[in-house]
Amino acid sequence: MPVVVTGSEFPSGLALLRAVHAGGDAPIAAVTRPDAMGALSRAAHAVEVVQDPSDDPAAFVRDVGAVAVRHGAAVLPGTEPALWALAHHRDQLPASVVAGCPSAAVVDRILAKGALGELAAAGGLRTPPTRVLTAESAYGWDGGFPAVVKPLSSHVPQVDGTMEHGLVLSVPDGSGLASALAGLPGGRGLVQPYLVGDQRTVDGLAWDGEVIAVAQKTGDRTWPRDAGVLSYGRIVRSDPDLERCCREMLADACWSGLFNLQFLDAPGGRFLIDFNPRAWNSLAVEVEAGANMPAAWVDLLLGRPVRPAVPRLGRRFRSEIDDARSLWAAWRSGQRSAAVRGLRPRRHTSHAIFSWTDPAPAMHVLWRRGYY
């Protein structure tokens, strides 16, 4: 079955595209530029250039709808802007097109990053104390320093019209906080106290609030090192209490689709620090470990029997560019033995971009010196 996949300008969307292909369907790469990674991937059955959902959401949905009609396909949103556009402009889609997107009310609740605490509470989970501040109100922050600054959305528009994954930053003082907030869209962002701990993620697929597939990973390294996302980690045995809480939260949210929940195990307890309602950068490790959640998502959308998606434990993941940055930072800070050990190749490791059977996206990223 042809399936329109958006968002393969980014590693998470590339992993989604490859997962649909690995599941036996024919992914159509709907990209905003012809040199996107997904457009170069062997996994793409066809490539179509569409409007950027951040620039013109309604035009994006019309373009994607036309692509879906042309190919007779379902649609999977690979980014938050695409998810928002499909939710709010569903009337632009032909009636025959099936989209992997819940209602606008459900999507808006999930995407409101400042409302993460309310979502977490439904599952008995905790979040760090969070405030929405502007550059002008930065000096009113009373949560101590260092502090953590997050964008209101995980994808941030750049000056050249592209979208970059919004980095989480740590800041040492009020001046640094004001500067970090001023650099975000609208000069606004989420501010939290800096917590130190081990990262764990709960990744999965839900349908009308019911979790269909789930996997848990721990992170050995992140980028940025002091307040970033997983750059190197592995699939581990699930914590049953954590899984139960996540199931309750997703049921309350009535979520349908992929999800990535990020936790920090800090001295004060376990905190939910992010909810990504989309494909995630380390999705490839679950797929290659036997849990092809995107393929199961397509099954649900098309009313087919849902294939099982249970991952094998222990498989590792490396985000090539981000982990290289993390290891270089470790080297520069004097942790040279750890940096050298981190460089060592290991069997059964999945990568964010590189694939022996699909090398063109990685070669293109190297040619462009790490830009994607």
mmCIF file of all heavy atoms in Angstrom, residues 143-184:
data_model
loop_
_atom_site.group_PDB
_atom_site.id
_atom_site.type_symbol
_atom_site.label_atom_id
_atom_site.label_comp_id
_atom_site.label_asym_id
_atom_site.label_seq_id
_atom_site.Cartn_x
_atom_site.Cartn_y
_atom_site.Cartn_z
ATOM 1 N N GLY A 143 13.839 30.037 40.138
ATOM 2 C CA GLY A 143 14.063 28.607 40.307
ATOM 3 C C GLY A 143 15.512 28.213 40.464
ATOM 4 O O GLY A 143 15.828 27.026 40.513
ATOM 5 N N GLY A 144 16.406 29.199 40.550
ATOM 6 C CA GLY A 144 17.814 28.914 40.735
ATOM 7 C C GLY A 144 18.549 28.663 39.435
ATOM 8 O O GLY A 144 17.939 28.484 38.374
ATOM 9 N N PHE A 145 19.870 28.657 39.528
ATOM 10 C CA PHE A 145 20.735 28.422 38.374
ATOM 11 C C PHE A 145 21.758 27.340 38.706
ATOM 12 O O PHE A 145 22.128 27.180 39.882
ATOM 13 C CB PHE A 145 21.438 29.718 37.972
ATOM 14 C CG PHE A 145 20.515 30.739 37.371
ATOM 15 C CD1 PHE A 145 20.010 31.773 38.150
ATOM 16 C CD2 PHE A 145 20.135 30.649 36.042
ATOM 17 C CE1 PHE A 145 19.151 32.708 37.605
ATOM 18 C CE2 PHE A 145 19.283 31.580 35.483
ATOM 19 C CZ PHE A 145 18.785 32.616 36.272
ATOM 20 N N PRO A 146 22.215 26.601 37.700
ATOM 21 C CA PRO A 146 21.832 26.727 36.292
ATOM 22 C C PRO A 146 20.366 26.378 36.078
ATOM 23 O O PRO A 146 19.754 25.688 36.896
ATOM 24 C CB PRO A 146 22.758 25.752 35.576
ATOM 25 C CG PRO A 146 23.153 24.755 36.620
ATOM 26 C CD PRO A 146 23.183 25.491 37.915
ATOM 27 N N ALA A 147 19.835 26.861 34.964
ATOM 28 C CA ALA A 147 18.456 26.583 34.585
ATOM 29 C C ALA A 147 18.432 25.996 33.176
ATOM 30 O O ALA A 147 19.416 26.100 32.430
ATOM 31 C CB ALA A 147 17.613 27.852 34.637
ATOM 32 N N VAL A 148 17.323 25.383 32.829
ATOM 33 C CA VAL A 148 17.159 24.754 31.517
ATOM 34 C C VAL A 148 16.130 25.545 30.718
ATOM 35 O O VAL A 148 15.066 25.890 31.241
ATOM 36 C CB VAL A 148 16.710 23.291 31.668
ATOM 37 C CG1 VAL A 148 16.380 22.680 30.312
ATOM 38 C CG2 VAL A 148 17.792 22.475 32.355
ATOM 39 N N VAL A 149 16.461 25.817 29.456
ATOM 40 C CA VAL A 149 15.569 26.558 28.556
ATOM 41 C C VAL A 149 15.179 25.663 27.394
ATOM 42 O O VAL A 149 16.048 25.053 26.760
ATOM 43 C CB VAL A 149 16.245 27.839 28.022
ATOM 44 C CG1 VAL A 149 15.276 28.626 27.138
ATOM 45 C CG2 VAL A 149 16.742 28.703 29.164
ATOM 46 N N LYS A 150 13.874 25.575 27.135
ATOM 47 C CA LYS A 150 13.368 24.749 26.042
ATOM 48 C C LYS A 150 12.501 25.594 25.118
ATOM 49 O O LYS A 150 11.780 26.488 25.574
ATOM 50 C CB LYS A 150 12.511 23.604 26.576
ATOM 51 C CG LYS A 150 13.222 22.642 27.504
ATOM 52 C CD LYS A 150 12.270 21.557 27.976
ATOM 53 C CE LYS A 150 12.959 20.551 28.873
ATOM 54 N NZ LYS A 150 12.039 19.464 29.292
ATOM 55 N N PRO A 151 12.520 25.310 23.814
ATOM 56 C CA PRO A 151 11.585 25.982 22.910
ATOM 57 C C PRO A 151 10.170 25.482 23.152
ATOM 58 O O PRO A 151 9.960 24.377 23.677
ATOM 59 C CB PRO A 151 12.081 25.581 21.517
ATOM 60 C CG PRO A 151 12.789 24.286 21.736
ATOM 61 C CD PRO A 151 13.400 24.353 23.109
ATOM 62 N N LEU A 152 9.190 26.281 22.789
ATOM 63 C CA LEU A 152 7.791 25.882 22.957
ATOM 64 C C LEU A 152 7.417 24.756 22.016
ATOM 65 O O LEU A 152 6.449 24.037 22.248
ATOM 66 C CB LEU A 152 6.871 27.081 22.724
ATOM 67 C CG LEU A 152 7.009 28.230 23.729
ATOM 68 C CD1 LEU A 152 6.060 29.359 23.366
ATOM 69 C CD2 LEU A 152 6.765 27.762 25.150
ATOM 70 N N SER A 153 8.194 24.596 20.935
ATOM 71 C CA SER A 153 7.994 23.503 19.990
ATOM 72 C C SER A 153 9.335 22.848 19.729
ATOM 73 O O SER A 153 10.379 23.501 19.831
ATOM 74 C CB SER A 153 7.395 24.007 18.674
ATOM 75 O OG SER A 153 7.350 22.979 17.714
ATOM 76 N N SER A 154 9.315 21.553 19.397
ATOM 77 C CA SER A 154 10.579 20.844 19.196
ATOM 78 C C SER A 154 11.234 21.166 17.859
ATOM 79 O O SER A 154 12.384 20.801 17.633
ATOM 80 C CB SER A 154 10.357 19.333 19.292
ATOM 81 O OG SER A 154 9.465 18.898 18.301
ATOM 82 N N HIS A 155 10.527 21.835 16.948
ATOM 83 C CA HIS A 155 11.118 22.234 15.675
ATOM 84 C C HIS A 155 11.029 23.747 15.542
ATOM 85 O O HIS A 155 9.941 24.328 15.638
ATOM 86 C CB HIS A 155 10.420 21.559 14.488
ATOM 87 C CG HIS A 155 10.772 20.105 14.377
ATOM 88 N ND1 HIS A 155 10.184 19.149 15.144
ATOM 89 C CD2 HIS A 155 11.684 19.462 13.593
ATOM 90 C CE1 HIS A 155 10.697 17.970 14.847
ATOM 91 N NE2 HIS A 155 11.599 18.120 13.916
ATOM 92 N N VAL A 156 12.184 24.378 15.355
ATOM 93 C CA VAL A 156 12.289 25.828 15.395
ATOM 94 C C VAL A 156 12.632 26.362 14.008
ATOM 95 O O VAL A 156 13.598 25.905 13.385
ATOM 96 C CB VAL A 156 13.382 26.260 16.406
ATOM 97 C CG1 VAL A 156 13.498 27.779 16.453
ATOM 98 C CG2 VAL A 156 13.066 25.696 17.783
ATOM 99 N N PRO A 157 11.862 27.350 13.467
ATOM 100 C CA PRO A 157 12.169 27.916 12.154
ATOM 101 C C PRO A 157 13.476 28.699 12.172
ATOM 102 O O PRO A 157 13.765 29.427 13.117
ATOM 103 C CB PRO A 157 10.967 28.831 11.868
ATOM 104 C CG PRO A 157 10.391 29.138 13.206
ATOM 105 C CD PRO A 157 10.658 27.954 14.068
ATOM 106 N N GLN A 158 14.259 28.549 11.101
ATOM 107 C CA GLN A 158 15.528 29.247 10.962
ATOM 108 C C GLN A 158 15.386 30.417 9.987
ATOM 109 O O GLN A 158 14.407 30.543 9.257
ATOM 110 C CB GLN A 158 16.601 28.283 10.468
ATOM 111 C CG GLN A 158 16.782 27.071 11.373
ATOM 112 C CD GLN A 158 17.249 27.447 12.753
ATOM 113 O OE1 GLN A 158 18.343 27.964 12.919
ATOM 114 N NE2 GLN A 158 16.423 27.174 13.763
ATOM 115 N N VAL A 159 16.422 31.262 9.984
ATOM 116 C CA VAL A 159 16.393 32.456 9.131
ATOM 117 C C VAL A 159 16.274 32.091 7.660
ATOM 118 O O VAL A 159 15.617 32.787 6.884
ATOM 119 C CB VAL A 159 17.669 33.300 9.382
ATOM 120 C CG1 VAL A 159 17.737 34.472 8.409
ATOM 121 C CG2 VAL A 159 17.703 33.802 10.819
ATOM 122 N N ASP A 160 16.900 30.978 7.244
ATOM 123 C CA ASP A 160 16.886 30.603 5.832
ATOM 124 C C ASP A 160 15.612 29.868 5.423
ATOM 125 O O ASP A 160 15.507 29.356 4.309
ATOM 126 C CB ASP A 160 18.106 29.742 5.498
ATOM 127 C CG ASP A 160 18.135 28.420 6.262
ATOM 128 O OD1 ASP A 160 17.211 28.180 7.056
ATOM 129 O OD2 ASP A 160 19.079 27.651 6.060
ATOM 130 N N GLY A 161 14.645 29.788 6.340
ATOM 131 C CA GLY A 161 13.368 29.153 6.018
ATOM 132 C C GLY A 161 13.310 27.677 6.343
ATOM 133 O O GLY A 161 12.252 27.066 6.226
ATOM 134 N N THR A 162 14.425 27.079 6.744
ATOM 135 C CA THR A 162 14.422 25.667 7.117
ATOM 136 C C THR A 162 13.975 25.520 8.578
ATOM 137 O O THR A 162 13.783 26.505 9.281
ATOM 138 C CB THR A 162 15.818 25.053 6.940
ATOM 139 O OG1 THR A 162 16.731 25.737 7.818
ATOM 140 C CG2 THR A 162 16.283 25.195 5.505
ATOM 141 N N MET A 163 13.817 24.258 9.001
ATOM 142 C CA MET A 163 13.446 23.976 10.375
ATOM 143 C C MET A 163 14.571 23.199 11.036
ATOM 144 O O MET A 163 15.092 22.251 10.460
ATOM 145 C CB MET A 163 12.157 23.142 10.427
ATOM 146 C CG MET A 163 10.945 23.834 9.853
ATOM 147 S SD MET A 163 10.330 25.159 10.899
ATOM 148 C CE MET A 163 9.544 24.205 12.199
ATOM 149 N N GLU A 164 14.964 23.620 12.224
ATOM 150 C CA GLU A 164 15.985 22.908 12.985
ATOM 151 C C GLU A 164 15.336 22.304 14.223
ATOM 152 O O GLU A 164 14.402 22.875 14.784
ATOM 153 C CB GLU A 164 17.097 23.872 13.429
ATOM 154 C CG GLU A 164 18.082 24.209 12.326
ATOM 155 C CD GLU A 164 19.078 23.089 12.095
ATOM 156 O OE1 GLU A 164 19.191 22.211 12.946
ATOM 157 O OE2 GLU A 164 19.744 23.114 11.045
ATOM 158 N N HIS A 165 15.874 21.142 14.636
ATOM 159 C CA HIS A 165 15.402 20.552 15.887
ATOM 160 C C HIS A 165 15.774 21.498 17.013
ATOM 161 O O HIS A 165 16.930 21.859 17.175
ATOM 162 C CB HIS A 165 16.045 19.186 16.106
ATOM 163 C CG HIS A 165 15.472 18.443 17.258
ATOM 164 N ND1 HIS A 165 14.288 17.744 17.167
ATOM 165 C CD2 HIS A 165 15.890 18.311 18.538
ATOM 166 C CE1 HIS A 165 14.017 17.189 18.337
ATOM 167 N NE2 HIS A 165 14.986 17.527 19.184
ATOM 168 N N GLY A 166 14.788 21.942 17.791
ATOM 169 C CA GLY A 166 15.016 22.900 18.861
ATOM 170 C C GLY A 166 15.866 22.307 19.970
ATOM 171 O O GLY A 166 15.498 21.316 20.582
ATOM 172 N N LEU A 167 17.020 22.906 20.219
ATOM 173 C CA LEU A 167 17.919 22.393 21.239
ATOM 174 C C LEU A 167 17.484 22.861 22.619
ATOM 175 O O LEU A 167 16.998 23.975 22.802
ATOM 176 C CB LEU A 167 19.349 22.861 20.969
ATOM 177 C CG LEU A 167 20.059 22.250 19.764
ATOM 178 C CD1 LEU A 167 21.458 22.852 19.638
ATOM 179 C CD2 LEU A 167 20.144 20.739 19.890
ATOM 180 N N VAL A 168 17.683 21.997 23.598
ATOM 181 C CA VAL A 168 17.489 22.344 24.989
ATOM 182 C C VAL A 168 18.828 22.861 25.510
ATOM 183 O O VAL A 168 19.869 22.247 25.282
ATOM 184 C CB VAL A 168 17.033 21.122 25.800
ATOM 185 C CG1 VAL A 168 16.856 21.475 27.263
ATOM 186 C CG2 VAL A 168 15.729 20.581 25.223
ATOM 187 N N LEU A 169 18.820 24.004 26.190
ATOM 188 C CA LEU A 169 20.053 24.635 26.637
ATOM 189 C C LEU A 169 20.062 24.779 28.148
ATOM 190 O O LEU A 169 19.016 24.975 28.768
ATOM 191 C CB LEU A 169 20.209 26.023 26.010
ATOM 192 C CG LEU A 169 20.185 26.102 24.474
ATOM 193 C CD1 LEU A 169 20.183 27.555 24.034
ATOM 194 C CD2 LEU A 169 21.381 25.371 23.892
ATOM 195 N N SER A 170 21.242 24.709 28.740
ATOM 196 C CA SER A 170 21.398 25.071 30.140
ATOM 197 C C SER A 170 22.062 26.441 30.193
ATOM 198 O O SER A 170 22.952 26.740 29.385
ATOM 199 C CB SER A 170 22.233 24.035 30.886
ATOM 200 O OG SER A 170 23.555 24.016 30.411
ATOM 201 N N VAL A 171 21.641 27.269 31.121
ATOM 202 C CA VAL A 171 22.167 28.627 31.236
ATOM 203 C C VAL A 171 22.647 28.844 32.677
ATOM 204 O O VAL A 171 22.032 28.350 33.620
ATOM 205 C CB VAL A 171 21.112 29.677 30.848
ATOM 206 C CG1 VAL A 171 20.784 29.572 29.367
ATOM 207 C CG2 VAL A 171 19.840 29.518 31.666
ATOM 208 N N PRO A 172 23.738 29.600 32.846
ATOM 209 C CA PRO A 172 24.323 29.728 34.176
ATOM 210 C C PRO A 172 23.755 30.838 35.047
ATOM 211 O O PRO A 172 23.908 30.816 36.273
ATOM 212 C CB PRO A 172 25.802 30.005 33.863
ATOM 213 C CG PRO A 172 25.749 30.752 32.562
ATOM 214 C CD PRO A 172 24.597 30.173 31.797
ATOM 215 N N ASP A 173 23.101 31.832 34.401
ATOM 216 C CA ASP A 173 22.666 32.994 35.179
ATOM 217 C C ASP A 173 21.545 33.724 34.438
ATOM 218 O O ASP A 173 21.102 33.304 33.352
ATOM 219 C CB ASP A 173 23.840 33.947 35.424
ATOM 220 C CG ASP A 173 24.610 34.280 34.142
ATOM 221 O OD1 ASP A 173 23.976 34.340 33.059
ATOM 222 O OD2 ASP A 173 25.832 34.486 34.213
ATOM 223 N N GLY A 174 21.083 34.824 35.037
ATOM 224 C CA GLY A 174 19.973 35.577 34.457
ATOM 225 C C GLY A 174 20.292 36.154 33.101
ATOM 226 O O GLY A 174 19.434 36.196 32.215
ATOM 227 N N SER A 175 21.531 36.596 32.899
ATOM 228 C CA SER A 175 21.907 37.144 31.601
ATOM 229 C C SER A 175 21.866 36.067 30.530
ATOM 230 O O SER A 175 21.362 36.296 29.420
ATOM 231 C CB SER A 175 23.313 37.744 31.692
ATOM 232 O OG SER A 175 23.756 38.189 30.429
ATOM 233 N N GLY A 176 22.383 34.891 30.855
ATOM 234 C CA GLY A 176 22.335 33.786 29.908
ATOM 235 C C GLY A 176 20.924 33.343 29.618
ATOM 236 O O GLY A 176 20.590 32.983 28.483
ATOM 237 N N LEU A 177 20.053 33.394 30.622
ATOM 238 C CA LEU A 177 18.650 33.030 30.435
ATOM 239 C C LEU A 177 17.967 33.996 29.487
ATOM 240 O O LEU A 177 17.248 33.587 28.563
ATOM 241 C CB LEU A 177 17.944 33.002 31.786
ATOM 242 C CG LEU A 177 16.454 32.697 31.783
ATOM 243 C CD1 LEU A 177 16.167 31.360 31.127
ATOM 244 C CD2 LEU A 177 15.902 32.719 33.211
ATOM 245 N N ALA A 178 18.185 35.293 29.696
ATOM 246 C CA ALA A 178 17.574 36.298 28.819
ATOM 247 C C ALA A 178 18.054 36.133 27.383
ATOM 248 O O ALA A 178 17.271 36.232 26.430
ATOM 249 C CB ALA A 178 17.890 37.702 29.333
ATOM 250 N N SER A 179 19.354 35.864 27.214
ATOM 251 C CA SER A 179 19.910 35.697 25.877
ATOM 252 C C SER A 179 19.327 34.461 25.194
ATOM 253 O O SER A 179 18.983 34.505 24.001
ATOM 254 C CB SER A 179 21.428 35.582 25.972
ATOM 255 O OG SER A 179 21.999 35.338 24.710
ATOM 256 N N ALA A 180 19.203 33.342 25.942
ATOM 257 C CA ALA A 180 18.659 32.114 25.360
ATOM 258 C C ALA A 180 17.205 32.293 24.955
ATOM 259 O O ALA A 180 16.783 31.845 23.883
ATOM 260 C CB ALA A 180 18.791 30.965 26.359
ATOM 261 N N LEU A 181 16.430 32.959 25.781
ATOM 262 C CA LEU A 181 15.018 33.193 25.452
ATOM 263 C C LEU A 181 14.878 34.118 24.255
ATOM 264 O O LEU A 181 13.991 33.931 23.414
ATOM 265 C CB LEU A 181 14.290 33.775 26.667
ATOM 266 C CG LEU A 181 14.063 32.809 27.837
ATOM 267 C CD1 LEU A 181 13.637 33.571 29.090
ATOM 268 C CD2 LEU A 181 13.008 31.769 27.469
ATOM 269 N N ALA A 182 15.741 35.131 24.165
ATOM 270 C CA ALA A 182 15.673 36.064 23.035
ATOM 271 C C ALA A 182 15.940 35.354 21.714
ATOM 272 O O ALA A 182 15.453 35.784 20.661
ATOM 273 C CB ALA A 182 16.675 37.199 23.234
ATOM 274 N N GLY A 183 16.699 34.251 21.760
ATOM 275 C CA GLY A 183 17.006 33.518 20.541
ATOM 276 C C GLY A 183 15.920 32.570 20.092
ATOM 277 O O GLY A 183 16.026 31.976 19.015
ATOM 278 N N LEU A 184 14.860 32.405 20.880
ATOM 279 C CA LEU A 184 13.765 31.516 20.519
ATOM 280 C C LEU A 184 12.681 32.274 19.762
ATOM 281 O O LEU A 184 12.577 33.503 19.885
ATOM 282 C CB LEU A 184 13.165 30.886 21.784
ATOM 283 C CG LEU A 184 14.089 29.946 22.560
ATOM 284 C CD1 LEU A 184 13.411 29.480 23.843
ATOM 285 C CD2 LEU A 184 14.484 28.748 21.711
#
